[in-house]
Amino acid sequence: LCLSFGCAASLSPPCLSAQFRRPGDFILGGLFPFGKDTNVKKGGDKGHVTADVTAVPSALRLFTDGLIWALGMRFTIDQINNSSSLLPGITLGYDMYDTCFEPLVALQPSLLFLTRNGTTGIGVLCNYTEYQPRVTAVIGPHQSDLCLVTAKLFSSFLIPQVSYGASSETLSNTELYPSFYRTVPSDKNLAEAVVLLLNQFGWNWVATVGSDDEYGRGAQTLFLSMAGTNNICIAFEGLIPTDLAEPSARKQLEDTVRAINSTKVNVVVLFAYSLPAQALLEHSIRMGLGKKVWIGTEAWILSSITASIPNVQSIGTVLGFVMRTGTVPGFQEYVAELFNSVAQEEFCRRSKELSRLMNPEVLDTHCQQCDQVTLRDIWATLSVTTVQPVHVAVYSVAQALHRALGCTTKSCPKTAIKSWQLLHFMNTLPFEVTGQSFRFDQSHSTNTGYKLIFWAWRDGSLTHLPVGDYDQTLYIRRTQIQFHTVDKKEPTSECFRRCEAGQFRRIKGFNLCCYDCTDCSENTFWSSTDSTGCSPCPQHQWAPARSTRCYDRTERFLFWDSPLAVTLVTIMALTAALICGTALLFLKHLRSPLVQVSGGGRSLLALLMLLLQSLSCCLYVGRPSAALCSLQQLSYAFCLNGCFSTFVPKALEITLVTEFPRRAPRLLHWVTHGRAWLLVAASLLIQALLSFCHLRLGPDFLVADYKSLPSEVLLVCGTQSWTAFALLHGYNSCLAFACFLCTFMVQTPAKRYNVARGITFATLIFFVIWIFFLVIFATLRTVLRAVTQICTILATTLGILASFFVPKCYILVFRPDLNTGDFCQNPGEEEPEEVNR
């Protein structure tokens, strides 16, 4: 089958050679790789090289592969011609040529196929609708490199071309190659299967090597693109030469092995055909690479060339994907019968007659090596090499012819059919081959799926053991895989150890698979094993450090049963009891001089306000609400104002007597007796108006603080408007300051009770407490904020009680002799200071 200009041509037509050309109603062109060059050539997808049969031992396998595929086409055409239902009355003819794995060699018969039927010339036309080429359709070639060249030619004439081995994803572009079809899956499916295999075993740190041809580069590019989106990191990617005769080939292979060894990966993905794969594996063994998991493809995993490498068992575990194909019934018997017939004189006589009938001007198809191959040479290869893709390719064209001609099961009309008319039927209609249904998909491929193959060594012999299947999803029978490791367990292949629960990956350098394991911080949680960071918890939840989930936050406020709250409530109760006792004592001695000089009934109002102020501490204990927050400041300010309002008339009275003695007789009636109550009422009214303004400008509101505490939500009352806060409490400060100014310099005559001193100390204590309160209150954001307010209320209440009321209680109880008109004379009843002089 070798072309006279591509390989060594025979001088006389051998018997078997002439069987690869036969006339018929419709001619099919066949392109098959026999390969008989003595030089190594770049090949294609399924792992074959060209070499002289007598020079290289593995070349016999390469040659027989191509011969088997050619015989598969011949067998299928004979089967169709003998069928009474597929193309009844129609005979298919064929012309088969050797590609020699070279694009230039493959172009010669391709151009011949394009010539006008009955001529050796190609018509240059604007419209090829009525153009009838020499062949109706083309089967082959096997390699993607060659198909990328020939497919452009045949697509220009819209001649159907069906390859039985080209798997490059580039050929899936139906706009560039509208008439190209293939009966094998594309490399995209293969790359998806490899990625799924790596994911199932958790291998995310791998090296990938491809042969430097269309198949290796294309498959590796697809794999790299898919690996990146599936969290698989590539430690090394490289290409190995296909022309091993090049001077730099050996160094390139050695550099590749050293690079793989330096990455310390345990998994190597190899996209190459048999001879480059053989060279890489041989160098790996020689350089002591160590046992790895090699993931291969049909291009080399089924090849006897790689399986026959000395000490190949030492490379480790070999897994790979091969196309899921069925057997072709009767083919082996057909080949056996054909080879038995070659030895008979009658077979050679018919071959010579057939050779004389062929056009001598067309390319020579004589094959010098065909008569040197025996059935024994081809039988071992026959059981491994799959011929079904060739079988299906021929049947796809025959089925399209059947539909295009409008054949029935009994006859076919004798009408002319143009090649382009077959495309519609090949695109749209399914067809059956030996009971199995096939259909070309949108990319003109037939995706039959893959089998996962494991190299099992039994008694020193290799067995290709099926251990899984891939058809969109991958199923693996793991128990059947015996990894070649010390403990017979599946190896790991990771850049670093797996992070434990509650840890995330902190990437180191530029490779996504090299990382440190870092604990998740508080209020973050670890969501998945592939996370490169911890996810924050929702606001209403929290998480401890190195957590795998979030927990609901508990509410934090000043609980009634907390020790601090119990202590404060106890102090509040004691303060309230002390106030009540003081009020009863004052009520009992209401008409006495001491109580009258202290304000009389107004003192009882002051004690009532202090009692309410102390009881308002309950508003700060328990779960706060928006209403309670608004009421807290109002109650404190209003009660404190009620107390200070009773001090104002007495402070003004003392000031008039001591500082303005001449005007005192005319002004005292405005601050004493009934008009003093008017001053108290006016002060309370002003405070009420300020309270209303506080509510309008911005009352305190409930704040759910999620930041101050790690695992709890803090419920506190927040200050919405500091302006409103200042207006509310500023008035009381003004009253206290006025009372302080009116009383702090007053000198009382000897043996007289100093009423002013009590007011002075009460207001002074108030200012001291509020200085500390404002500083603490403005900065605190915890439960202590409520505690601070309670303490401020209690301290203010107790301060006023201790400085103003307790000394009077002491006199009432222990020194009743001092409770006289002379000692407790009202300032308004005293003689003016000038008179005393």
Side-chain angles (χ1 to χ4, degrees), residues 43-57:
D45 296 22
K46 303 306 177 187
H48 303 287
V49 294
T50 62
D52 193 319
V53 175
T54 60
V56 182

Side-chain angles (χ1 to χ4, degrees), residues 204-270:
N204 61 6
W205 182 243
V206 301
T208 175
V209 181
S211 53
D212 194 7
D213 59 5
E214 176 61 31
Y215 169 67
R217 291 190 301 269
Q220 189 180 60
T221 300
L222 286 170
F223 170 70
L224 292 174
S225 64
M226 294 181 187
T229 58
N230 285 272
N231 297 322
I232 297 172
C233 296
I234 307 302
F236 168 77
E237 57 176 288
L239 297 174
I240 54 177
T242 55
D243 189 352
L244 301 178
E246 293 181 359
S248 61
R250 180 184 179 91
K251 182 180 183 302
Q252 190 173 346
L253 288 166
E254 291 176 348
D255 291 343
T256 301
V257 174
R258 291 192 192 96
I260 295 173
N261 188 49
S262 65
T263 60
K264 302 186 183 303
V265 298
N266 289 326
V267 178
V268 182
V269 182
L270 179 56

Side-chain angles (χ1 to χ4, degrees), residues 14 233 237 388 469 526 555 585 633 662 746 786 789 804 816:
C233 296
E237 57 176 288
Q388 190 192 37
D469 294 282
W526 172 78
E555 293 181 343
L585 188 61
Q633 298 297 332
R662 294 180 180 276
V746 174
Q789 295 182 82
F804 188 81

